[in-house]
Structures are given as structure tokens and as C-alpha cells.
Amino acid sequence: MAMTDLVSEPASGGRSHPPSPRKRPAPPVPGNALAGWLGALLVTAFAGFLRFDRLSVPKAVVFDETYYAKDALALLTFGWEHNTRKDADKLLIADPNADIWSSGASFVAHPPFGKWMIAGGEWLFGATPFGWRFAAALCGTLSVLILCRVARRMTGSSLLGCMAGLLLALDGLHFVTSRTALLDIFVMFWILAGFACLVIDRDRSRRLLAERVEAAATAGTLSDLGPFVPHGWRVLAGICLGLACATKWTGIFYVAAFGIMLVFWDFGARRAAGVRQPLPGTLALDALPAFGQLVVGGAVTYLATWSGWIFRPGGWGRGEVSAFVPARVFEALPDLWNYHREMLNFHVGLDSEHPYQSWPWDWPVLWRPVAFFYTEPKGACGASRCSREILGIGTPALWWGALLALVVTVGIWLAVRDWRAGAIVLGFLAGWLPWFPSAFGDRTMFLFYATPVLPFMVLAIVLVLGYLIGPAGRTATLWHAGTPSTRRVAGAAAAGAFVLVVLANFAYFYPILAAKILPYQDWHARIWFRNWI
């Protein structure tokens, strides 16, 4: 359903022809494709500049970089995580080639793939702050491009697509996690990439289904279940979601949520195409292959990311390996199962207090952000007291606006069953609700655990703004009693004003997101609530 680029009705007064069955299930995205790509690339270039500029600042190990930067280097060196010396952080800052290793393998609480991504930057640029932050900045930048394209496909508007990417680029939490060697930006990236693959598959498979139903009906060979339709993009989606799980286990909730979503999508497609028994057809011809593509494909991908631990001796709990290389996979599985049990026990029992911990019901209102880095350099700002901080916090205007937009999006889904609204709300809930049981058990958690829901918060805003603007042409009279031009101008002005507020809000917070040195009073002016200290 396009929102702002719909083709106008013919001005001649002649009757317009109804769309063919091939266009009804998934109308093509209108507008100029080249302009859509150019706009998205410009927004991505802006996001990339923000994320790569001063990426090596501060020259320090920031927050949980103390774990992941060294684990990534260990993967490059040994193939599995390794214990380090007491002053390893200081040694690396002083000399990227320093010998930081002590004896023995290290137990880790997260799968290896996110650390392999960090290791790629260290392989290219060395074990330096720029090196271990490079992959995060790259994924943060590319996620803006993906969201631009997904939003354009979902709304039918290049303008709204670019707006979605720009809003993501201007979010403080996305910005900070894109500039630090933590895992959450990678989880977000692969979930968003998997979602993008599913949205592309939805459009393409619905058109193909309609074509095959039409052809079979013409030939008189249409079965009650409808034809089989391949879903090639779901294979890529399964790989992406497997990589999300291989970064942090929270990705598994998206596998489950998106799997349920696909059943509803496929049922709706078969019903829209005129299949006589859409539900049995969905279960027999779509659901079983989807399970293989998402679950089985994701599991194989997940297992492959453990190859360094599987095929090389010495990893934690691994010990020696078989001389017969193909046998190492089967030999390693019992040990890998035990390793995962220990990882699960660690996460279940993680309840130590932390000054920056927060609960999932706090996250949407930014109740307790995380100070990733804070110092008070002497005489560096022309004032008696200076502050320098990296505060892990979302842009308030965007987050508080998204909270309202999500409520409206739920209303849209309930009122008109807009598939986009349902997918957006599901994507948000899949990254938010699973934390509640652990929170009731007092598990330690932080605001940046909400990073994977950021694209869905932005999509909620864009969807609501699209409804506010309304479609182009005379069809806009269906949306509002006033003239279409008045409706669209007012809606576009409101959308533009919101983006400008977010831009100004981000610019104001930028110094405390990017470790700029400020007079203490200027720093304190940006700490709006006591809970932010």
C-alpha cells in the first residue's frame, strides 16, 4: 500500500481499470527507482560520516569493549577466546602488538559471531580503538541504508524511506552503539537484514503466487490448496537471523516471531489470490518450507560460526580434537551442548547490581541510560571544570515520539489490519517483551539491550507520518474531508517539523554522545534528569 506516491486517478473522467490479479496481492512500488536509491545513499553517506568521524576517540577501552575487543583479537590469534593478562587494556592502548595473553582458554557468555565481526576490523586496522570499532560503525551505517529501502518498500514512498533512514541515523543510542565495540549493533543489523529479506520475499512471492493462480485457473488445473511458490529470499533471511543468534541469543525471539508472521502473510496471500483452501495450502506448501529456511537454515548458520572452537584444539571445554577433520564436528557436539548449558546458567544467574542497570519498562522513556565513558580532563575547555562523556542514550524526541507512534500503530492494525502495522509492532515486541521475565528475576540488564528494536520504532513513526500525510492525487479525498493539497501540505509540514526537532535534539546531545570536551555546566545542562547521571 503506497502512501504518498500513489498514482492519481485519470483526470479525463474515464473509468479506471481495476488492477489485475497479479497486482492486487502486492502492488509495485511507485516512484522513480533511481531517485529512491540516490536519496537512500545520500542519507547513508551522512550517517557514515557521523559514525566514522573521530571513531578512534577516545583512545581508551570503553565500557564492555574490555571484553569484546580482546575476545575478538583472541579469535584471530587462537580461533577461540583466551585469557588475558591483568593490565591487557593498558597494554593494548600503548601498543597494539603487545603480548596480552596469559594461559588457558576463557569462558564466554555469548556466541562468537559478533566478536568475529569485530575481529575483521582488527585484522584490517590492528588492535586499536579504530580497528575494534570499525565493524560496528560499518554495520551502523549500512543499517541506515537497509532501513531506507525497507521503509520505501513498505510505504511506497522514497521520501518516507529516506526519512526513516535519517531518523535512525540521528538516534543517540544507535549512534553510540555504532561507535563502540559492543555486540548489540550487530544483533540489530542482522535482525533488520533478515526482516528486509522477508519483506522483499513477501512482495515477490505474492506476485508469483497470483501469476500461477491466474495461469492455473485459466488452464483449469488450479488445486484447492493453490500452487507451490518458492521463497528464495527466506533462505537469506534464515542466514541473517542465524547470524543474529550467533551474536546474542536474543535473536531467537525474532526467529519465532517472524516465523509466526510468515504464516499470517502466506495465508493472506493465498486468500487474496483466490485459493479455495488458503489455510491448508499455507500449512502444507509454505509453513513447512519456511521452517526449514528460517529454523534449520538459521541453526546450521549458527553452528558454522563456532567453527574456530570446533576445528581447533584448546577452546574452553573443547580439549583435544580428532586427527580426522570431518569427525571433529560430531566429536564437538556433546562438548558444545555442555558449553551452552553453562552459558545459559550464566545468563539465568546474572543478578549482580550495576549502577547503570535498568528494566525493560524503563527503556521506552529513557529512564536510566548508560555512561560508557566519563572523564574530567584538566584545563581542556577553558573552564575550571571540564567533562567528557559517551552517554548511551537515545535521542529523546525520537524515542518519546516513537512511544506515541507505537500506540497509534497498534490502533491502525486493530482498525484496518494493515500488515505493515502488525509487522512493526511484532518486531518491537519481539525485542522488548522477552526481557520482562528476566527482569522480574532481577537479571542485570541495560538500556542498550533495546538496540534491536530501534528500526521498528522508526518504522512506527514513519508509518504514522505516512498516514498523516495521506496518498497523492484525488485518492487523498478518501482520507480527509478537506482538499488533498491542503491535507498533504499540512501533513508534510508536520512530518518535516518532527524531523527537524529530532535533528536539533541530536545535535544538542551530540557532544555527550561523541566524547566532546565541554565545560562542566554545559555538560550538566544536557543531563535533564538525575537518573541520567
Side-chain angles (χ1 to χ4, degrees), residues 206-219:
R206 286 170 73 91
R207 292 194 191 102
L208 181 59
L209 174 67
E211 290 174 358
R212 292 190 175 185
V213 166
E214 188 177 15
T218 301

Side-chain angles (χ1 to χ4, degrees), residues 34-336:
L34 178 60
W37 271 107
L38 288 177
L41 290 173
L42 285 173
V43 172
T44 303
F46 172 70
F49 172 78
L50 287 176
R51 280 146 184 78
F52 281 96
D53 180 48
R54 301 174 61 254
L55 183 60
S56 59
V57 177
K59 188 179 180 181
V61 176
V62 172
F63 200 62
D64 279 356
E65 285 184 344
T66 188
Y67 303 114
Y68 305 125
K70 292 178 293 189
D71 285 347
L73 189 59
L75 290 175
L76 279 179
T77 307
F78 304 99
W80 33 265
E81 295 84 351
H82 200 283
N83 287 324
T84 58
R85 295 166 58 180
K86 180 179 180 182
D87 295 325
D89 290 348
K90 294 180 180 179
L91 292 171
L92 274 183
I93 293 299
D95 178 10
N97 298 312
D99 181 8
I100 63 171
W101 311 114
S102 62
S103 60
S106 173
F107 170 82
V108 293
H110 294 294
F113 186 69
K115 289 164 283 187
W116 275 116
M117 296 187 73
I118 296 171
E122 293 179 330
W123 178 73
L124 289 171
F125 303 105
T128 64
F130 184 89
W132 60 65
R133 295 169 191 160
F134 173 81
L138 181 62
C139 285
T141 301
L142 292 178
S143 67
V144 170
L145 176 61
I146 294 173
L147 188 63
C148 284
R149 302 300 298 171
V150 169
R152 181 182 185 273
R153 182 173 287 272
M154 293 178 72
T155 64
S157 167
S158 297
L159 175 64
L160 290 177
C162 291
M163 187 181 296
L166 181 60
L167 289 174
L168 187 64
L170 295 174
D171 178 66
L173 187 62
H174 187 276
F175 175 80
V176 169
T177 54
S178 296
R179 290 169 54 88
T180 48
L182 273 67
L183 301 180
D184 303 85
I185 193 69
F186 303 124
V187 180
M188 184 278 297
F189 175 82
W190 291 112
I191 288 171
L192 176 59
F195 180 73
C197 291
L198 295 179
V199 172
I200 294 171
D201 178 80
R202 181 186 186 276
D203 284 354
R204 296 192 175 190
S205 63
R206 286 170 73 91
R207 292 194 191 102
L208 181 59
L209 174 67
E211 290 174 358
R212 292 190 175 185
V213 166
E214 188 177 15
T218 301
T221 58
L222 180 63
S223 71
D224 289 347
L225 301 182
F228 171 78
V229 175
H231 294 274
W233 280 91
R234 291 184 184 177
V235 176
L236 292 177
I239 293 172
C240 291
L241 294 175
L243 294 177
C245 295
T247 303
K248 274 191 172 183
W249 284 353
T250 47
I252 197 170
F253 297 112
Y254 280 93
V255 176
F258 289 164
I260 295 171
M261 179 181 72
L262 292 183
V263 173
F264 283 94
W265 283 5
D266 292 336
F267 171 74
R270 289 185 179 273
R271 186 172 61 178
V275 172
R276 286 186 288 272
Q277 295 187 27
L279 182 57
T282 296
L283 297 178
L285 301 176
D286 296 314
L288 288 177
F291 180 86
Q293 291 160 331
L294 262 63
V295 178
V296 178
V300 171
T301 301
Y302 177 88
L303 184 63
T305 65
W306 284 87
S307 57
W309 184 90
I310 289 172
F311 288 102
R312 300 179 68 175
W316 191 92
R318 180 69 176 99
E320 296 300 320
V321 300
S322 172
F324 183 56
V325 175
R328 293 180 186 179
V329 175
F330 305 99
E331 172 195 63
L333 289 179
D335 291 338
L336 188 60

